[in-house]
Structure formats: structure tokens, C-alpha cells
Amino acid sequence: MRRPLIAGNWKMHLTIPAARALAAAVGKAAAGVTDRDVLIAPPFTALAAVREAAGSGVLLAGQNVCWEEQGAFTGEIAPTMLKELGCAMAIVGHSERRQLFGETNGLINQRVAGALKFGLIPILCIGETLREREAGTTFTVLEAQLKEGLAGVTLASADQLVVAYEPVWAIGTGKTATAAQAQEVHAFVRQTLGSLFEKNIAGQMRILYGGSVNPANVDELMRQADVDGALVGGAALKAESFERIIHFQ
Ligand code: 13P
């Protein structure tokens, strides 16, 4: 019912030649795949090359997006600029943006609204830190990230928004949430989305898991009822491992 989405977040990696080579390999790996979506989010500088090298079977996303179409916003990128380069989506509220660049739920809410206004699908990232998990506040934190990040947002259909659960303690650490931990949170996220949007929209919305997803753990994660895809960092930078993740069983 929910079409799986396998997304590679390249973060601040790869120059244009390397990006082009990896994108071509991903395009090849995604060729003939009809029952799931494959997406890459390269650095802005590589978007044009990746669009060309990956081919039409691969979706593209920006790693961030501003809420305005143009103006005095040094260092930001407009939704229309991303669309011009062939992006269908934009990652918003990644934990690295929150932790290293001070982005708040309020600012992230502006980004979500801006993306939607210009027809770009936001991939809203949420996740608790290790300290928050150990303090037993995981659900409180996630609920606030969802409610504040999505304040004022109305949706006509479930495919206008993607949510990614990325526990901060699992990002780049090699320490994945267990499949049971992921499922527990994803079910909570879907329930919270159900309080914000119509039930059938929440039921159809894709919720991705991210945090040390790799070829060895993807199958079990994807078997969980509410895990609809993966947002992959490190393992998306190597053609063989990302190919295996695309072809999860
Ligand atoms: P890793 O897969 O490297 O843990 O990164 C996850 C992530 O942050 C994807 O957005």
C-alpha cells in the first residue's frame, strides 16, 4: 500500500566527478526497479551532474531548502532552484542541521511550509538524542518535533510529505536502532500524524528509518509494519552497498 522509498543522503561528500560516477551506478542499480522509489540527495553543487548521470529512474532531493523564492538569504537555496535542477523533494530538519547549525522546530516549520508552497516534498527528519532516550523522553521530543515542525501544515494527500525517524545516537555510529525500537517509534509517529492530519493521510504517509542502515540490517528493518523506507548516509556513498539496500528483501 505504501510504496517503499530508499533514499541516499550524501551529506557534504563527493566532488562532481565522483558524484557523477556514483549517480550513474545508482541509476543502473535502480533500472528495472518498479515497486519502490530510489532517491539521492547530493550536495547542491552536484545536483545538475547527478540529474544527468542518474537518469530518470532516480528521484533527487536537496539536503535543505529555504522558504522564500528569492531574496537576501545568503547561503540558502530556494525551492524553485531545487525544482529547476530536477528535485522532487528536500530534506528538512536533519539532526546535523539541528545540532551543528542551531535549527529549531520553528525554523524547520518555515522550511516545511516553503517546500510545500512550491510543490516540493519535504522529508522532515526527527529524532531523539541518546540523553533524551535514556531520560525516557523520546516520545515527548518526537511529538514536539512533529507538532511544531508541522504547525499550520495542511495536506491534500499523503504523498506531499515524508517523515524520517533518525535517532541521533544511531547516525554515523554504526549503532542501529533494533527493528523493534524502530517499529515502536514509527507506530508512534504514525499515530501522532493521525492527530495532525486525516487518518487516511497518516495511514498512507511514508515514514523512513535512518541511522546506520546498511546491507546487513536493511531487510529486517524493512520488514517492520510501519517502516516504509530508509534514509541512508554512509552506506549510500558506496555503489555496492547502496545497491544492496535498494534491493532489500
Ligand atoms: P548514517 O547512515 O551514516 O548513519 O547516516 C544517516 C543519516 O543521517 C541519513 O540522513
Side-chain angles (χ1 to χ4, degrees):
M1 164 184 84
R2 294 185 296 264
R3 187 176 164 83
L5 170 60
I6 301 297
N9 174 10
W10 290 1
K11 307 191 180 183
M12 200 172 72
H13 292 285
L14 306 181
T15 54
I16 291 172
R20 188 177 277 125
L22 181 56
V26 172
K28 213 182 234 179
V33 171
T34 53
D35 62 344
R36 56 199 70 178
D37 289 331
V38 177
L39 174 140
I40 25 195
F44 300 136
T45 47
L47 276 168
V50 166
R51 175 71 291 155
E52 196 182 281
S56 58
V58 175
L59 296 167
L60 282 195
Q63 293 179 14
N64 203 355
V65 65
C66 189
W67 49 89
E68 291 287 347
E69 194 175 3
Q70 59 182 325
F73 299 94
T74 302
E76 290 286 322
I77 189 148
T80 42
M81 293 169 178
L82 291 176
K83 287 186 76 178
E84 190 175 39
L85 286 165
C87 292
M89 304 194 183
I91 296 173
V92 171
H94 191 279
S95 71
E96 286 145 23
R97 299 302 317 170
R98 295 175 188 265
Q99 301 220 303
L100 304 173
F101 301 98
E103 295 203 7
T104 60
N105 286 330
L107 183 90
I108 290 159
N109 177 242
Q110 284 184 275
R111 297 192 187 282
V112 168
L116 286 168
K117 180 174 165 193
F118 293 98
L120 211 52
I121 299 166
I123 302 174
L124 172 63
C125 300
I126 58 170
E128 82 287 1
T129 62
L130 184 59
R131 183 180 294 209
E132 289 161 344
R133 178 162 280 264
E134 287 175 347
T137 57
T138 297
F139 288 169
T140 322
V141 168
L142 297 176
E143 189 175 2
Q145 289 176 341
L146 283 170
K147 290 196 167 160
E148 293 171 32
L150 295 170
V153 169
T154 52
L155 298 176
S157 67
D159 55 11
Q160 284 180 287
L161 178 73
V162 173
V163 173
Y165 168 56
E166 299 204 303
V168 179
W169 47 271
I171 294 178
T173 57
K175 203 175 156 197
T176 329
T178 63
Q181 281 173 327
Q183 170 56 28
E184 181 190 31
V185 170
H186 281 229
F188 172 78
V189 169
R190 197 175 303 287
Q191 183 194 320
T192 306
L193 291 170
S195 72
L196 297 173
F197 307 110
E198 283 172 38
K199 276 277 175 311
N200 62 323
I201 287 189
Q204 287 167 33
M205 197 177 294
R206 293 185 287 190
I207 305 172
L208 315 183
Y209 170 79
S212 298
V213 174
N214 62 44
N217 59 31
V218 67
D219 297 337
E220 202 195 348
L221 285 163
M222 289 303 296
R223 271 198 291 273
Q224 308 310 305
D226 289 288
V227 176
D228 307 312
L231 184 52
V232 187
L237 292 171
K238 293 209 177 75
E240 318 80 69
S241 52
F242 194 56
E243 175 167 8
R244 173 62 184 83
I245 292 169
I246 291 172
H247 293 281
F248 74 85
Q249 292 144 17

